[in-house]
Amino acid sequence: ITYRVAYNFASGQGLIYNPGEWFGSSTSPGLALLLGLGGKVFGPDAVPVIGSLVSALALWLAGLGLYVYGARTGYAASGLFAGLLLIASQIMAFSSSGEMPFQMALILWAYVAYVSEWRIASALLLAAATVVRPDGVMAVAVLGLFDLIRTRRIAWRMWLTFAIALVPFLVLAWIYYGTPLPNSLAAKLAHRD
């Protein structure tokens, strides 16, 4: 679904599944937009290749993120082992060219930014992960709760940055589709039919 949406966007038909049907069909609108932009540059037929390259790069960046996170928290060897295990995982091979490696890399690097005391970078990476796939907001909740428990205060600059980065996407999705959330179930049923 995401690749078809990206293809249609690259072809000038909009960020939609079926031309003329204006609803958010992709559960990973951020990836669809990224691949569609790549398709505008390299041609719509390049979308699957671009998706494979983005996924492969993201998987390596996620593995590197695990290593850096481990090193920043005093467990470099564990981080290295976890990163190599992730990269070599057969399960990750099945999600190749999907949104999960990309979203995972964004979330892992947001956590690296957090432990590095780069709160604004962390917020921007979490916003990007949420745009890639809306369930990225779960990583926001986990980090927000952890930070609240650890510091006993709300990191308002960080969360304001997250909101400011996310609101334009939500507003545009609302204007474009009539809702900020993807209508993936309806799209999957239409695809089946």
Side-chain angles (χ1 to χ4, degrees):
I1 291 171
T2 300
Y3 279 38
R4 181 167 170 170
V5 169
Y7 180 89
N8 286 340
F9 182 75
S11 300
Q13 299 177 50
L15 199 60
I16 53 175
Y17 186 77
N18 290 321
E21 295 180 11
W22 296 92
F23 64 93
S25 56
S26 176
T27 55
S28 51
L31 181 61
L33 181 60
L34 177 67
L35 297 179
L37 290 171
K40 283 193 177 286
V41 173
F42 298 105
D45 291 331
V47 166
V49 173
I50 296 166
S52 293
L53 293 173
V54 166
S55 184
L57 178 62
L59 182 59
W60 282 92
L61 286 172
L64 180 62
L66 283 169
Y67 166 70
V68 173
Y69 183 86
R72 297 275 169 127
T73 56
Y75 298 97
S78 296
L80 179 63
F81 179 74
L84 292 173
L85 190 61
L86 175 68
I87 292 168
S89 170
Q90 290 297 317
I91 292 173
M92 290 309 298
F94 290 121
S95 67
S96 177
S97 301
E99 70 274 6
M100 295 314 295
F102 186 41
Q103 185 185 46
M104 187 179 356
L106 290 168
I107 291 169
L108 286 168
W109 281 99
Y111 287 6
V112 168
Y114 176 83
V115 299
S116 301
E117 302 291 330
W118 302 329
R119 300 293 194 262
I120 301 303
S122 181
L124 292 172
L125 288 164
L126 288 171
T130 303
V131 169
V132 166
R133 188 173 166 98
D135 59 6
V137 77
M138 291 187 293
V140 174
V142 168
L143 188 60
L145 184 59
F146 174 79
D147 185 61
L148 183 62
I149 291 169
R150 188 177 74 82
T151 65
R152 299 197 191 313
R153 63 179 182 80
I154 295 175
W156 66 270
R157 284 185 186 98
M158 180 178 175
W159 302 121
L160 181 62
T161 300
F162 171 80
I164 289 170
L166 192 59
V167 163
F169 171 78
L170 296 175
V171 169
L172 288 173
W174 206 309
I175 291 169
Y176 201 68
Y177 302 121
T179 177
L181 299 175
N183 188 355
S184 57
L185 179 58
K188 289 175 183 174
L189 293 174
H191 182 69
R192 179 203 66 196
D193 295 340

